[in-house]
Amino acid sequence: MDRCLKLERRTALRRIAGLAAGVFFLDVPALTGCSSGPTGDATVRLPLAGLPEGRRSNVVVSGLTVELVRDGSSVRARSLLCTHQGCTVRWDDAAQLYKCPCHKGTYDASGNVVSGAPTRPLDAYPFVIENGEVLVRPLPTKAS
C-alpha cells in the first residue's frame, strides 16, 4: 500500500512540476494581445520615400509595434499599445478611431483618449528625419 501511495505522489509531483514549467515558459501577454515590454534598444531606419503618403505603416522598435504616418515631409510615430494595460490597439477606418480589444478603450486619430479605461494618450515615439531616412528610436525607459 505504501508503494502505491509513493507512486501516486511521484506522479502527482511530476504533473505539478510539468504544469509549473509550462506556466513559467508560457508567454501569457502574447496570448492576450498585451505586451510584455521592450526587448532591445535598436533604432529603426527606413527611407522616407518608402513611407506611403497619408497611410499607416507599422515597424517594430525594440520588439514593439510602432505606427508611422507620413504627411508630406513630416512623420508621426506612435505606439500601438493601449496606455491602460498594454493591449495592442487597432485603427478602425470606418469609425476613425483606434480601438483597444481588451477593455474597449478608444483613441482619436491623434492618439488622444476618447473613451474607456485609458487615462492618457498613446505614446509618441522619438524620431528624426535625416538624409532622406526616418530614424525611429525606442521610448526612453522610465527610472524606477
Side-chain angles (χ1 to χ4, degrees):
M1 181 77 91
D2 255 350
R3 185 165 187 231
C4 290
L5 288 176
K6 287 180 185 175
L7 287 177
E8 288 177 8
R9 186 178 300 151
R10 274 191 207 141
T11 302
L13 289 173
R14 280 189 198 133
R15 288 183 182 161
I16 290 170
L19 286 172
V23 169
F24 178 76
F25 289 110
L26 181 65
D27 186 5
V28 175
L31 296 176
T32 62
C34 296
S35 167
S36 57
T39 58
D41 60 347
T43 296
V44 172
R45 296 173 166 266
L46 59 150
L48 180 61
L51 287 175
E53 181 79 25
R55 290 206 359 233
R56 298 168 193 288
S57 302
N58 294 343
V59 296
V60 176
V61 179
S62 296
L64 302 174
T65 304
V66 176
E67 179 188 78
L68 301 175
V69 179
R70 178 178 170 198
D71 183 18
S73 61
S74 69
V75 173
R76 182 180 66 228
R78 87 167 36 103
S79 171
L80 290 181
L81 295 182
C82 180
T83 56
H84 174 236
Q85 286 189 337
C87 296
T88 302
V89 299
R90 292 178 186 92
W91 177 251
D92 181 335
D93 205 38
Q96 293 291 294
L97 294 170
Y98 292 97
K99 294 183 175 182
C100 179
C102 296
H103 300 106
K104 309 298 182 216
T106 59
Y107 301 85
D108 65 16
S110 297
N112 297 310
V113 177
V114 173
S115 67
T119 58
R120 61 184 181 81
L122 295 172
D123 291 325
Y125 264 73
F127 70 92
V128 294
I129 299 173
E130 60 183 38
N131 300 325
E133 285 188 314
V134 179
L135 287 70
V136 185
R137 300 197 168 105
L139 286 175
T141 56
K142 295 177 178 138
S144 318

Short mmCIF file of all heavy atoms in Angstrom, two decimals, residues 17-51:
data_model
loop_
_atom_site.label_atom_id
_atom_site.label_comp_id
_atom_site.label_asym_id
_atom_site.label_seq_id
_atom_site.Cartn_x
_atom_site.Cartn_y
_atom_site.Cartn_z
N ALA A 17 5.04 19.65 -11.37
CA ALA A 17 6.27 20.25 -11.90
C ALA A 17 6.11 20.58 -13.37
O ALA A 17 6.56 21.63 -13.84
CB ALA A 17 7.45 19.31 -11.67
N GLY A 18 5.47 19.69 -14.12
CA GLY A 18 5.24 19.94 -15.55
C GLY A 18 4.35 21.15 -15.77
O GLY A 18 4.62 21.99 -16.64
N LEU A 19 3.30 21.27 -14.98
CA LEU A 19 2.42 22.43 -15.09
C LEU A 19 3.15 23.72 -14.72
O LEU A 19 3.01 24.74 -15.38
CB LEU A 19 1.20 22.26 -14.19
CG LEU A 19 0.14 21.27 -14.66
CD1 LEU A 19 -0.91 21.06 -13.58
CD2 LEU A 19 -0.50 21.76 -15.94
N ALA A 20 3.94 23.65 -13.65
CA ALA A 20 4.70 24.84 -13.23
C ALA A 20 5.66 25.26 -14.32
O ALA A 20 5.80 26.44 -14.63
CB ALA A 20 5.43 24.57 -11.93
N ALA A 21 6.35 24.31 -14.93
CA ALA A 21 7.28 24.63 -16.02
C ALA A 21 6.53 25.22 -17.20
O ALA A 21 6.99 26.17 -17.83
CB ALA A 21 8.06 23.38 -16.44
N GLY A 22 5.37 24.67 -17.50
CA GLY A 22 4.56 25.18 -18.60
C GLY A 22 4.13 26.61 -18.37
O GLY A 22 4.19 27.44 -19.26
N VAL A 23 3.73 26.94 -17.16
CA VAL A 23 3.33 28.30 -16.84
C VAL A 23 4.54 29.23 -16.90
O VAL A 23 4.45 30.35 -17.38
CB VAL A 23 2.65 28.36 -15.44
CG1 VAL A 23 2.47 29.79 -14.99
CG2 VAL A 23 1.33 27.64 -15.49
N PHE A 24 5.69 28.76 -16.45
CA PHE A 24 6.90 29.57 -16.46
C PHE A 24 7.29 29.96 -17.88
O PHE A 24 7.66 31.08 -18.15
CB PHE A 24 8.05 28.81 -15.79
CG PHE A 24 9.35 29.56 -15.81
CD1 PHE A 24 9.57 30.61 -14.94
CD2 PHE A 24 10.35 29.24 -16.72
CE1 PHE A 24 10.76 31.32 -14.96
CE2 PHE A 24 11.53 29.93 -16.74
CZ PHE A 24 11.73 30.97 -15.86
N PHE A 25 7.18 29.01 -18.81
CA PHE A 25 7.61 29.27 -20.19
C PHE A 25 6.50 29.83 -21.06
O PHE A 25 6.74 30.25 -22.17
CB PHE A 25 8.16 27.99 -20.83
CG PHE A 25 9.48 27.60 -20.25
CD1 PHE A 25 9.60 26.48 -19.45
CD2 PHE A 25 10.61 28.37 -20.46
CE1 PHE A 25 10.82 26.12 -18.90
CE2 PHE A 25 11.83 28.02 -19.91
CZ PHE A 25 11.93 26.90 -19.13
N LEU A 26 5.28 29.88 -20.57
CA LEU A 26 4.16 30.38 -21.34
C LEU A 26 4.21 31.90 -21.39
O LEU A 26 4.35 32.56 -20.36
CB LEU A 26 2.86 29.92 -20.68
CG LEU A 26 1.55 30.31 -21.36
CD1 LEU A 26 1.46 29.63 -22.71
CD2 LEU A 26 0.39 29.89 -20.49
N ASP A 27 4.08 32.44 -22.58
CA ASP A 27 4.08 33.89 -22.73
C ASP A 27 2.64 34.38 -22.75
O ASP A 27 2.03 34.55 -23.79
CB ASP A 27 4.80 34.28 -24.02
CG ASP A 27 4.95 35.79 -24.16
OD1 ASP A 27 4.60 36.52 -23.22
OD2 ASP A 27 5.42 36.22 -25.22
N VAL A 28 2.06 34.58 -21.57
CA VAL A 28 0.66 34.95 -21.45
C VAL A 28 0.34 36.24 -22.20
O VAL A 28 -0.66 36.31 -22.90
CB VAL A 28 0.23 35.04 -19.97
CG1 VAL A 28 -1.19 35.55 -19.85
CG2 VAL A 28 0.37 33.67 -19.31
N PRO A 29 1.18 37.30 -22.15
CA PRO A 29 0.85 38.50 -22.90
C PRO A 29 0.71 38.24 -24.40
O PRO A 29 -0.10 38.87 -25.05
CB PRO A 29 2.02 39.45 -22.62
CG PRO A 29 2.51 39.02 -21.28
CD PRO A 29 2.33 37.51 -21.27
N ALA A 30 1.48 37.32 -24.95
CA ALA A 30 1.36 37.03 -26.38
C ALA A 30 0.00 36.45 -26.69
O ALA A 30 -0.55 36.66 -27.77
CB ALA A 30 2.47 36.07 -26.81
N LEU A 31 -0.58 35.72 -25.77
CA LEU A 31 -1.89 35.13 -25.99
C LEU A 31 -3.00 36.15 -25.80
O LEU A 31 -4.04 36.06 -26.42
CB LEU A 31 -2.11 33.96 -25.03
CG LEU A 31 -1.18 32.77 -25.20
CD1 LEU A 31 -1.47 31.72 -24.13
CD2 LEU A 31 -1.34 32.15 -26.58
N THR A 32 -2.80 37.12 -24.95
CA THR A 32 -3.86 38.08 -24.64
C THR A 32 -3.79 39.32 -25.52
O THR A 32 -4.69 40.14 -25.49
CB THR A 32 -3.77 38.53 -23.17
OG1 THR A 32 -2.51 39.19 -22.98
CG2 THR A 32 -3.92 37.38 -22.21
N GLY A 33 -2.73 39.50 -26.28
CA GLY A 33 -2.59 40.68 -27.10
C GLY A 33 -1.93 41.82 -26.37
O GLY A 33 -1.86 42.93 -26.87
N CYS A 34 -1.42 41.57 -25.17
CA CYS A 34 -0.76 42.61 -24.40
C CYS A 34 0.74 42.44 -24.51
O CYS A 34 1.24 41.36 -24.72
CB CYS A 34 -1.19 42.54 -22.93
SG CYS A 34 -2.93 42.87 -22.73
N SER A 35 1.44 43.52 -24.34
CA SER A 35 2.89 43.49 -24.48
C SER A 35 3.57 43.21 -23.14
O SER A 35 3.10 43.63 -22.11
CB SER A 35 3.36 44.85 -24.99
OG SER A 35 4.75 44.95 -24.86
N SER A 36 4.69 42.50 -23.23
CA SER A 36 5.46 42.26 -22.02
C SER A 36 6.61 43.25 -21.89
O SER A 36 7.38 43.17 -20.97
CB SER A 36 6.00 40.82 -22.02
OG SER A 36 6.77 40.61 -23.18
N GLY A 37 6.74 44.18 -22.83
CA GLY A 37 7.74 45.23 -22.71
C GLY A 37 8.83 45.13 -23.76
O GLY A 37 8.89 44.19 -24.54
N PRO A 38 9.68 46.13 -23.82
CA PRO A 38 10.73 46.18 -24.82
C PRO A 38 11.72 45.03 -24.70
O PRO A 38 11.94 44.51 -23.63
CB PRO A 38 11.44 47.51 -24.54
CG PRO A 38 10.52 48.28 -23.68
CD PRO A 38 9.66 47.30 -22.97
N THR A 39 12.30 44.66 -25.84
CA THR A 39 13.26 43.57 -25.84
C THR A 39 14.62 44.03 -26.35
O THR A 39 15.48 43.21 -26.60
CB THR A 39 12.76 42.41 -26.72
OG1 THR A 39 12.56 42.92 -28.03
CG2 THR A 39 11.49 41.82 -26.18
N GLY A 40 14.84 45.31 -26.51
CA GLY A 40 16.12 45.80 -27.00
C GLY A 40 16.07 47.30 -27.11
O GLY A 40 15.12 47.93 -26.70
N ASP A 41 17.12 47.89 -27.71
CA ASP A 41 17.11 49.34 -27.81
C ASP A 41 17.65 49.83 -29.14
O ASP A 41 18.23 50.89 -29.22
CB ASP A 41 17.88 49.96 -26.65
CG ASP A 41 19.33 49.50 -26.61
OD1 ASP A 41 19.68 48.54 -27.32
OD2 ASP A 41 20.11 50.12 -25.87
N ALA A 42 17.45 49.07 -30.21
CA ALA A 42 17.96 49.46 -31.51
C ALA A 42 17.07 50.51 -32.17
O ALA A 42 15.84 50.44 -32.07
CB ALA A 42 18.07 48.24 -32.41
N THR A 43 17.69 51.47 -32.84
CA THR A 43 16.98 52.45 -33.63
C THR A 43 16.63 51.82 -34.98
O THR A 43 17.44 51.13 -35.56
CB THR A 43 17.86 53.70 -33.84
OG1 THR A 43 18.10 54.29 -32.56
CG2 THR A 43 17.21 54.71 -34.75
N VAL A 44 15.40 52.06 -35.45
CA VAL A 44 14.96 51.55 -36.74
C VAL A 44 15.15 52.65 -37.78
O VAL A 44 14.74 53.79 -37.56
CB VAL A 44 13.49 51.09 -36.67
CG1 VAL A 44 12.97 50.73 -38.05
CG2 VAL A 44 13.34 49.93 -35.71
N ARG A 45 15.77 52.29 -38.93
CA ARG A 45 15.97 53.23 -40.03
C ARG A 45 15.17 52.77 -41.23
O ARG A 45 15.17 51.60 -41.55
CB ARG A 45 17.44 53.26 -40.46
CG ARG A 45 18.40 53.74 -39.43
CD ARG A 45 19.84 53.55 -39.94
NE ARG A 45 20.74 54.28 -39.12
CZ ARG A 45 21.17 55.51 -39.38
NH1 ARG A 45 20.79 56.13 -40.47
NH2 ARG A 45 21.99 56.13 -38.55
N LEU A 46 14.50 53.71 -41.89
CA LEU A 46 13.83 53.38 -43.13
C LEU A 46 13.77 54.61 -44.01
O LEU A 46 13.78 55.74 -43.50
CB LEU A 46 12.45 52.80 -42.88
CG LEU A 46 11.44 53.62 -42.12
CD1 LEU A 46 10.04 53.26 -42.60
CD2 LEU A 46 11.55 53.30 -40.65
N PRO A 47 13.74 54.41 -45.32
CA PRO A 47 13.73 55.57 -46.22
C PRO A 47 12.39 56.31 -46.13
O PRO A 47 11.33 55.69 -46.13
CB PRO A 47 13.92 54.96 -47.60
CG PRO A 47 13.62 53.51 -47.47
CD PRO A 47 13.80 53.15 -46.03
N LEU A 48 12.45 57.63 -46.06
CA LEU A 48 11.25 58.44 -46.02
C LEU A 48 10.40 58.18 -47.26
O LEU A 48 9.19 58.08 -47.18
CB LEU A 48 11.62 59.93 -45.90
CG LEU A 48 10.46 60.92 -45.86
CD1 LEU A 48 9.57 60.65 -44.64
CD2 LEU A 48 10.97 62.34 -45.84
N ALA A 49 11.05 58.03 -48.40
CA ALA A 49 10.33 57.79 -49.66
C ALA A 49 9.58 56.46 -49.64
O ALA A 49 8.62 56.27 -50.39
CB ALA A 49 11.31 57.80 -50.83
N GLY A 50 9.96 55.54 -48.75
CA GLY A 50 9.29 54.25 -48.65
C GLY A 50 8.01 54.28 -47.85
O GLY A 50 7.27 53.29 -47.82
N LEU A 51 7.74 55.40 -47.18
CA LEU A 51 6.50 55.53 -46.41
C LEU A 51 5.43 56.14 -47.30
O LEU A 51 5.59 57.27 -47.76
CB LEU A 51 6.70 56.43 -45.19
CG LEU A 51 7.49 55.87 -44.04
CD1 LEU A 51 7.70 56.94 -42.97
CD2 LEU A 51 6.80 54.67 -43.45
#
